Amino acid sequence: MTTVADDKLIKIAYLYEDLMNTYGDSGDVKILRYLLNKDGYEVQVDNVSLDAKFDANDYDFLFFGGGQDYEQTVVAKDLLRHQSTMKDYIEAGKPMLAICGGYQLLGSYYKMIDGTVIDGLGILPLHTVFKPDSRMIGDTEFETEFGPVKAFENHSGRTYFDDKDKLKPLGKMIQGYGNNPDDGVEGMRYKGVIGSYAHGPILRNENIAKAVAKMIIDNHNARLATPAQA
Ligand code: GLN
């Protein structure tokens, strides 16, 4: 039970916060909380971890951070329980930010260093292959529709789009690798979903942070306007 009126309470689901939080990605959620508070909203962040009961459509925003390979294997199995509600949420155009390992798990699969293939949610037509010989580490800069974004990356997974009509890159590389060393692009946009390899956290870039905060508020208002299902 909350004391805050529903119209001023924004609910964020932080997927596997305890397992998927490499390189300070939780900073993205802190920045969003700050911006939303400034706009007069209270923010509730729920850690949706292993075995949790979860319906994506109860939330205004989903956040999924990066993770190491081992944690990804554990998370990937549990995540499949939420395939249908997350697909509904995403296809309805609701907002989500997925970074690095979280971004990878929205796709069809992640092929690991030993050749093992982890199934992703299969919601987005993309896949990722781990290449051990050339980890992509360093500062990145890329141009997006929100303006230039500066961050850093640290991953061995190379992500490729399987349907380039459906998925659009988040940005064009100025510095660094982004999705892979071949395409010259960083991250992904599909409806309300932003996927990215950018840590830093990415939302320290005010331009994109404000755009995401606006997406959340718009979705929150739309959720309030829709009568709850019986
Ligand atoms: N383990 C994945 C990779 O190396 C993701 C890393 C991350 O999320 N930081 O590609």
Side-chain angles (χ1 to χ4, degrees):
M1 209 45 195
T2 171
T3 53
V4 183
D6 270 0
D7 61 346
K8 284 290 168 195
L9 179 68
I10 286 192
K11 292 171 73 180
I12 295 180
Y14 191 149
L15 300 171
Y16 307 92
E17 176 178 7
D18 45 345
L19 296 166
M20 302 285 282
N21 179 21
T22 46
Y23 317 121
D25 288 337
S26 60
D28 286 324
V29 174
K30 289 183 181 147
I31 290 163
L32 288 172
R33 185 193 286 279
Y34 170 78
L35 290 175
L36 294 166
N37 284 164
K38 252 187 27 173
D39 265 346
Y41 292 93
E42 288 293 320
V43 178
Q44 173 185 323
V45 179
D46 291 345
N47 173 18
V48 177
S49 195
L50 301 178
D51 301 326
K53 263 183 85 179
F54 168 65
D55 182 338
N57 293 299
D58 291 339
Y59 289 89
D60 299 306
F61 181 65
L62 309 183
F63 180 75
F64 201 0
Q68 307 295 335
D69 280 20
Y70 174 70
E71 281 78 5
Q72 274 181 281
T73 56
V74 175
V75 164
K77 282 194 200 120
D78 190 75
L79 185 64
L80 292 178
R81 295 186 298 123
H82 307 306
Q83 207 270 352
S84 134
T85 120
M86 285 183 65
K87 191 171 168 44
D88 288 352
Y89 179 98
I90 288 171
E91 292 298 344
K94 297 176 182 180
M96 171 169 193
L97 176 62
I99 305 294
C100 204
Y103 166 38
Q104 294 169 346
L105 288 180
L106 296 180
S108 47
Y109 66 88
Y110 177 54
K111 189 168 181 188
M112 300 176 75
I113 187 167
D114 62 358
T116 313
V117 174
I118 310 180
D119 283 335
L121 279 171
I123 297 174
L124 303 179
L126 58 85
H127 69 273
T128 302
V129 178
F130 188 101
K131 287 275 184 206
D133 43 343
S134 52
R135 194 163 177 89
M136 290 162 270
I137 306 178
D139 291 335
T140 57
E141 185 173 359
F142 47 97
E143 190 60 43
T144 73
E145 72 171 83
F146 313 109
V149 171
K150 288 187 179 190
F152 80 92
E153 62 187 333
N154 188 346
H155 56 110
S156 293
R158 300 177 178 200
T159 295
Y160 295 92
F161 294 169
D162 298 315
D163 183 344
K164 289 189 177 162
D165 292 329
K166 196 163 170 179
L167 306 183
K168 296 292 167 223
L170 170 63
K172 243 179 119 182
M173 297 317 294
I174 298 169
Q175 183 190 351
Y177 297 97
N179 286 346
N180 58 60
D182 311 308
D183 294 337
V185 295
E186 153 59 39
M188 182 280 319
R189 304 257 351 237
Y190 175 68
K191 297 191 175 184
V193 185
I194 296 176
S196 178
Y197 274 105
H199 302 287
I202 184 174
L203 297 187
R204 74 185 171 150
N205 293 273
E206 202 180 359
N207 50 8
I208 189 164
K210 284 188 167 163
V212 173
K214 183 176 180 316
M215 286 161 74
I216 296 173
I217 292 170
D218 289 349
N219 182 39
H220 173 74
N221 291 335
R223 185 166 70 83
L224 289 183
T226 313
Q229 302 286 315

